[in-house]
Amino acid sequence: MPDYAGAKAAIRSRLETNWTTTRITYQNETPADPWPPVDGSGVLQPWANLEIVGSGSRIVGQGTPGNHVWRYDGIIYVHVFTPVGAGIELGDQYAVAIGEIFRAAKFYDATPGFGVRTLAPSIDDADSGDDDGNWSRTTMHCDFTYWHRG
């Protein structure tokens, strides 16, 4: 049966399936080597980090026990990291492209009464002040709702 953990896994899967341009890292997981990502000459390469943040759930419909409508809200963040000094254009380009993967999307809905729905993505401005000095971060964020009948 679908659940919130499955909805988060579906968000991750959607990104992995549709984004192959850079490496992706995940919350509470050690990135694969080589880390940080470099090309054959040792030059730092862009990468993205997926962060999913829930903001609670609530019942939104009436029904018999086991047939209530629950709404779980959250935000999908994909932080794009580009090497400092490379300019902001590449980070913006990647963040916009990742945002299109989630724009007004409907997925994880094979079972009636369940599903993830996303809204419009937003892109923030690049920031290189909160890291080790090697990376500039541009973030795509997109609100989502996981609908659950139970």
Side-chain angles (χ1 to χ4, degrees), residues 37-51:
V38 293
D39 67 10
S41 300
V43 176
L44 292 173
Q45 296 299 299
W47 54 283
N49 176 265
L50 173 63
E51 181 181 8

PDB file of all heavy atoms in Angstrom, residues 37-51:
ATOM      1  N   PRO A  37      33.264  15.348  -6.857  1.00  0.00           N
ATOM      2  CA  PRO A  37      33.318  14.903  -8.254  1.00  0.00           C
ATOM      3  C   PRO A  37      34.316  15.730  -9.067  1.00  0.00           C
ATOM      4  O   PRO A  37      34.288  16.960  -9.024  1.00  0.00           O
ATOM      5  CB  PRO A  37      31.888  15.101  -8.751  1.00  0.00           C
ATOM      6  CG  PRO A  37      31.264  16.071  -7.807  1.00  0.00           C
ATOM      7  CD  PRO A  37      31.967  15.933  -6.506  1.00  0.00           C
ATOM      8  N   VAL A  38      35.192  15.027  -9.770  1.00  0.00           N
ATOM      9  CA  VAL A  38      36.199  15.672 -10.626  1.00  0.00           C
ATOM     10  C   VAL A  38      36.258  14.938 -11.951  1.00  0.00           C
ATOM     11  O   VAL A  38      35.884  13.776 -12.048  1.00  0.00           O
ATOM     12  CB  VAL A  38      37.603  15.658  -9.962  1.00  0.00           C
ATOM     13  CG1 VAL A  38      37.622  16.532  -8.720  1.00  0.00           C
ATOM     14  CG2 VAL A  38      38.042  14.245  -9.625  1.00  0.00           C
ATOM     15  N   ASP A  39      36.744  15.636 -12.972  1.00  0.00           N
ATOM     16  CA  ASP A  39      36.948  14.975 -14.260  1.00  0.00           C
ATOM     17  C   ASP A  39      38.321  14.302 -14.261  1.00  0.00           C
ATOM     18  O   ASP A  39      39.021  14.286 -13.239  1.00  0.00           O
ATOM     19  CB  ASP A  39      36.779  15.956 -15.425  1.00  0.00           C
ATOM     20  CG  ASP A  39      37.854  17.029 -15.480  1.00  0.00           C
ATOM     21  OD1 ASP A  39      38.860  16.939 -14.741  1.00  0.00           O
ATOM     22  OD2 ASP A  39      37.694  17.974 -16.281  1.00  0.00           O
ATOM     23  N   GLY A  40      38.726  13.757 -15.390  1.00  0.00           N
ATOM     24  CA  GLY A  40      39.991  13.041 -15.498  1.00  0.00           C
ATOM     25  C   GLY A  40      41.215  13.893 -15.220  1.00  0.00           C
ATOM     26  O   GLY A  40      42.291  13.377 -14.907  1.00  0.00           O
ATOM     27  N   SER A  41      41.055  15.217 -15.293  1.00  0.00           N
ATOM     28  CA  SER A  41      42.174  16.125 -15.035  1.00  0.00           C
ATOM     29  C   SER A  41      42.148  16.686 -13.617  1.00  0.00           C
ATOM     30  O   SER A  41      42.952  17.553 -13.278  1.00  0.00           O
ATOM     31  CB  SER A  41      42.133  17.295 -16.019  1.00  0.00           C
ATOM     32  OG  SER A  41      42.224  16.828 -17.338  1.00  0.00           O
ATOM     33  N   GLY A  42      41.193  16.219 -12.806  1.00  0.00           N
ATOM     34  CA  GLY A  42      41.097  16.708 -11.435  1.00  0.00           C
ATOM     35  C   GLY A  42      40.322  18.004 -11.279  1.00  0.00           C
ATOM     36  O   GLY A  42      40.321  18.611 -10.207  1.00  0.00           O
ATOM     37  N   VAL A  43      39.619  18.440 -12.334  1.00  0.00           N
ATOM     38  CA  VAL A  43      38.830  19.663 -12.291  1.00  0.00           C
ATOM     39  C   VAL A  43      37.469  19.359 -11.660  1.00  0.00           C
ATOM     40  O   VAL A  43      36.800  18.395 -12.048  1.00  0.00           O
ATOM     41  CB  VAL A  43      38.656  20.254 -13.713  1.00  0.00           C
ATOM     42  CG1 VAL A  43      37.745  21.472 -13.686  1.00  0.00           C
ATOM     43  CG2 VAL A  43      40.006  20.587 -14.312  1.00  0.00           C
ATOM     44  N   LEU A  44      37.083  20.171 -10.666  1.00  0.00           N
ATOM     45  CA  LEU A  44      35.793  19.984  -9.999  1.00  0.00           C
ATOM     46  C   LEU A  44      34.642  20.024 -11.003  1.00  0.00           C
ATOM     47  O   LEU A  44      34.637  20.849 -11.918  1.00  0.00           O
ATOM     48  CB  LEU A  44      35.588  21.068  -8.946  1.00  0.00           C
ATOM     49  CG  LEU A  44      36.513  21.018  -7.733  1.00  0.00           C
ATOM     50  CD1 LEU A  44      36.309  22.253  -6.862  1.00  0.00           C
ATOM     51  CD2 LEU A  44      36.300  19.749  -6.925  1.00  0.00           C
ATOM     52  N   GLN A  45      33.654  19.135 -10.799  1.00  0.00           N
ATOM     53  CA  GLN A  45      32.491  19.032 -11.674  1.00  0.00           C
ATOM     54  C   GLN A  45      31.215  19.340 -10.893  1.00  0.00           C
ATOM     55  O   GLN A  45      31.130  19.055  -9.689  1.00  0.00           O
ATOM     56  CB  GLN A  45      32.395  17.619 -12.258  1.00  0.00           C
ATOM     57  CG  GLN A  45      33.561  17.256 -13.153  1.00  0.00           C
ATOM     58  CD  GLN A  45      33.665  18.172 -14.345  1.00  0.00           C
ATOM     59  OE1 GLN A  45      32.757  18.240 -15.162  1.00  0.00           O
ATOM     60  NE2 GLN A  45      34.759  18.911 -14.442  1.00  0.00           N
ATOM     61  N   PRO A  46      30.201  19.905 -11.551  1.00  0.00           N
ATOM     62  CA  PRO A  46      28.938  20.198 -10.879  1.00  0.00           C
ATOM     63  C   PRO A  46      28.274  18.926 -10.341  1.00  0.00           C
ATOM     64  O   PRO A  46      28.497  17.826 -10.851  1.00  0.00           O
ATOM     65  CB  PRO A  46      28.072  20.813 -11.982  1.00  0.00           C
ATOM     66  CG  PRO A  46      29.036  21.294 -13.007  1.00  0.00           C
ATOM     67  CD  PRO A  46      30.198  20.335 -12.953  1.00  0.00           C
ATOM     68  N   TRP A  47      27.436  19.109  -9.319  1.00  0.00           N
ATOM     69  CA  TRP A  47      26.665  18.002  -8.753  1.00  0.00           C
ATOM     70  C   TRP A  47      25.396  18.568  -8.135  1.00  0.00           C
ATOM     71  O   TRP A  47      25.244  19.780  -7.997  1.00  0.00           O
ATOM     72  CB  TRP A  47      27.479  17.212  -7.737  1.00  0.00           C
ATOM     73  CG  TRP A  47      28.088  18.020  -6.619  1.00  0.00           C
ATOM     74  CD1 TRP A  47      29.197  18.817  -6.696  1.00  0.00           C
ATOM     75  CD2 TRP A  47      27.625  18.115  -5.271  1.00  0.00           C
ATOM     76  NE1 TRP A  47      29.454  19.394  -5.481  1.00  0.00           N
ATOM     77  CE2 TRP A  47      28.512  18.977  -4.582  1.00  0.00           C
ATOM     78  CE3 TRP A  47      26.565  17.553  -4.579  1.00  0.00           C
ATOM     79  CZ2 TRP A  47      28.362  19.299  -3.242  1.00  0.00           C
ATOM     80  CZ3 TRP A  47      26.419  17.860  -3.229  1.00  0.00           C
ATOM     81  CH2 TRP A  47      27.297  18.719  -2.574  1.00  0.00           C
ATOM     82  N   ALA A  48      24.460  17.699  -7.819  1.00  0.00           N
ATOM     83  CA  ALA A  48      23.181  18.121  -7.246  1.00  0.00           C
ATOM     84  C   ALA A  48      22.891  17.307  -5.994  1.00  0.00           C
ATOM     85  O   ALA A  48      23.299  16.157  -5.877  1.00  0.00           O
ATOM     86  CB  ALA A  48      22.062  17.922  -8.272  1.00  0.00           C
ATOM     87  N   ASN A  49      22.186  17.931  -5.051  1.00  0.00           N
ATOM     88  CA  ASN A  49      21.797  17.260  -3.815  1.00  0.00           C
ATOM     89  C   ASN A  49      20.295  17.368  -3.642  1.00  0.00           C
ATOM     90  O   ASN A  49      19.737  18.463  -3.684  1.00  0.00           O
ATOM     91  CB  ASN A  49      22.500  17.899  -2.609  1.00  0.00           C
ATOM     92  CG  ASN A  49      22.037  17.299  -1.299  1.00  0.00           C
ATOM     93  OD1 ASN A  49      21.145  17.825  -0.654  1.00  0.00           O
ATOM     94  ND2 ASN A  49      22.635  16.190  -0.932  1.00  0.00           N
ATOM     95  N   LEU A  50      19.638  16.215  -3.465  1.00  0.00           N
ATOM     96  CA  LEU A  50      18.191  16.171  -3.245  1.00  0.00           C
ATOM     97  C   LEU A  50      17.895  16.224  -1.752  1.00  0.00           C
ATOM     98  O   LEU A  50      18.467  15.463  -0.971  1.00  0.00           O
ATOM     99  CB  LEU A  50      17.600  14.882  -3.831  1.00  0.00           C
ATOM    100  CG  LEU A  50      16.122  14.619  -3.518  1.00  0.00           C
ATOM    101  CD1 LEU A  50      15.225  15.700  -4.116  1.00  0.00           C
ATOM    102  CD2 LEU A  50      15.725  13.232  -4.005  1.00  0.00           C
ATOM    103  N   GLU A  51      16.990  17.113  -1.390  1.00  0.00           N
ATOM    104  CA  GLU A  51      16.529  17.234  -0.008  1.00  0.00           C
ATOM    105  C   GLU A  51      15.009  17.322  -0.047  1.00  0.00           C
ATOM    106  O   GLU A  51      14.442  18.151  -0.767  1.00  0.00           O
ATOM    107  CB  GLU A  51      17.134  18.495   0.613  1.00  0.00           C
ATOM    108  CG  GLU A  51      16.772  18.731   2.044  1.00  0.00           C
ATOM    109  CD  GLU A  51      17.388  20.018   2.589  1.00  0.00           C
ATOM    110  OE1 GLU A  51      17.975  20.812   1.825  1.00  0.00           O
ATOM    111  OE2 GLU A  51      17.250  20.223   3.796  1.00  0.00           O
TER     112      GLU A  51
END
